Every structure is written in C-alpha cells, then in structure tokens.
Amino acid sequence: MNPQSGNTNPEFNHLNMQTGQVLAQMNHGGHEMFDVHEMLSGIVGTLNLYTLCKGHVQDPELKTMLNRHYQHITKEYNACVQAFQTGKDPAMRTESYKMAQDNDFVYGLKPAQPVKPIQSVTELNDQSVSSLILGTLKSNASLRGMATLEVTNPVLRRVLADGIPNWIEMAYELSIWQNKNHYYQVPQLNQQDMTSMLGAYAPSTQPPLQ
C-alpha cells in the first residue's frame, strides 16, 4: 500500500482567508465534514448489521468470511476516525483486504424460488444475511468514493482512497460465495450480442493534446 500522504508535516501550510493559519486537526472543508460524517455513520451501520446477523449464519465458510470482514472494517473505521479527528497519519496504516475465495463465477440462470421480504427475524438465513451485507458493502464503497472526492485534508483523503478497493474486494468476495451457492445468479447475453458489444470500441490513435 502506498504511503497515506505525501506530506507528513503535522502543521500543513493551509490558510483560511478570514482567520489565517489552519491547524492540521481543523484542515477540513464544509462538504468534507458532512460527507465524512455520513460515511463514518455508514460504517457504524455496517458493523452493527454484521453484529445483528452473525447469529443467523449457518454456513461455516460464510461465518469465517464475515468475521474477517468485521475485523478489517473495524481497523479501517478506527484509522478513518483518527485521521479525521487529528488531520495526521493514523497509527494503524491502511491494509489491503485479501480474499480467501477464488474469482470463478458460474454464468447462467437456474430455476429458483422467488425472493420476498421476510416476516420475522426467525426467517433470516444465509441467503438473506449475505444479501443484506452485500448491499451495505456496495453502498459503502460508493459512499466512500463520493466522500473522498470532497476531502481537502491530504492525509484523510489518502486514508479514505486507500480503503475503497477493500470495500470493493469484500463485496466481490461475498458475491462469489453467493454465486457458488446459487443466490447470486449471473445471466449472460447471447454470443452474437456479446461479440457486438465487445467490439463496439476501438483504441484511440489521437496524438497528445498540445
């Protein structure tokens, strides 16, 4: 993982036009404050969902995966909070999440029972739990990307940016597990349509802009 910031000086050379020098812990813009609050709230909600759902998981492989996710997300959350509150590099560096799954998808559809909302928590099972968590992982990946684009603090920006691939990886790993268990079925276009779409673009041969 790349260093989280190119500037390790605790006091950045940033100015506020009205008040003068901006200290590291106050080096945040207005949009940044609101977006990062929303992102951190989303992470808390995700961790709460893992806690609420863990008792309903039956498959040992899924249980192990969700535990690994929970531990990784907790570390990332703590690093984000520290970087947000101090404006400095967190003590815990951002780590890359490593999938335990392979990346083989099975394509095509097989008959399955229609999905409908549950009426009681007793109906929660591996399919519904994994779908709930996949949904929140995808949402948090998008939310984190949008929040990162509003961050002005260079350390916090790098901490958040470094974590985006991890949320994508966790969502991908869970979708592979679902696919293997026929909960996440992936249709394909017919070969003629796919060939047409694959060949719809060609490399650019334009010279660099002058």
Side-chain angles (χ1 to χ4, degrees):
M1 188 66 69
N2 293 329
Q4 292 177 333
S5 172
N7 187 347
T8 57
N9 185 346
E11 302 298 334
F12 298 110
N13 296 317
H14 295 289
L15 296 174
N16 181 299
M17 290 186 289
Q18 282 74 44
T19 60
Q21 188 74 31
V22 177
L23 298 177
Q25 65 268 30
M26 296 297 176
N27 181 18
H28 302 291
H31 285 294
E32 176 177 350
M33 295 296 287
F34 295 125
D35 284 1
V36 174
H37 263 265
E38 186 176 2
M39 184 212 70
L40 291 173
S41 178
I43 298 176
V44 170
T46 297
L47 291 171
N48 289 344
L49 183 61
Y50 275 77
T51 299
L52 289 169
C53 289
K54 66 181 181 181
H56 300 279
V57 176
Q58 299 298 317
D59 182 81
E61 185 179 14
L62 178 61
K63 192 173 294 187
T64 298
M65 182 193 306
L66 297 186
N67 185 53
R68 291 175 66 238
H69 287 186
Y70 186 88
Q71 293 179 34
H72 182 89
I73 293 169
T74 300
K75 290 178 181 178
E76 275 204 14
Y77 169 75
N78 289 336
C80 289
V81 169
Q82 189 176 2
F84 185 45
Q85 293 177 346
T86 66
K88 303 175 185 178
D89 283 329
M92 175 67 70
R93 309 292 282 185
T94 304
E95 299 175 354
S96 295
Y97 181 80
K98 303 295 184 185
M99 289 199 318
Q101 297 275 328
D102 57 31
N103 57 5
D104 295 330
F105 260 89
V106 176
Y107 297 98
L109 301 176
K110 60 177 280 187
Q113 289 295 319
V115 176
K116 62 181 180 179
I118 63 173
Q119 303 299 310
S120 166
V121 293
T122 59
E123 297 178 56
L124 282 171
N125 54 29
D126 290 346
Q127 180 177 6
S128 54
V129 166
S130 59
S131 294
L132 282 169
I133 291 178
L134 180 58
T136 196
L137 290 173
K138 288 181 175 181
S139 295
N140 275 277
S142 299
L143 188 59
R144 196 183 185 105
M146 290 186 289
T148 301
L149 293 172
E150 297 296 337
V151 172
T152 57
N153 183 289
V155 171
L156 180 59
R157 190 180 187 90
R158 178 50 52 199
V159 171
L160 299 189
D162 282 350
I164 293 171
N166 295 328
W167 288 84
I168 296 171
E169 201 77 350
M170 288 185 289
Y172 185 50
E173 180 181 44
L174 186 53
S175 69
I176 293 169
W177 179 88
Q178 281 198 315
N179 175 257
K180 183 169 62 178
N181 288 275
H182 307 296
Y183 302 146
Y184 188 112
Q185 299 197 56
V186 184
Q188 280 193 315
L189 299 177
N190 63 53
Q191 186 172 345
Q192 180 178 344
D193 289 347
M194 193 181 300
T195 300
S196 295
M197 295 194 72
L198 287 171
Y201 299 92
S204 172
T205 58
Q206 298 297 318
L209 294 175
Q210 298 299 320

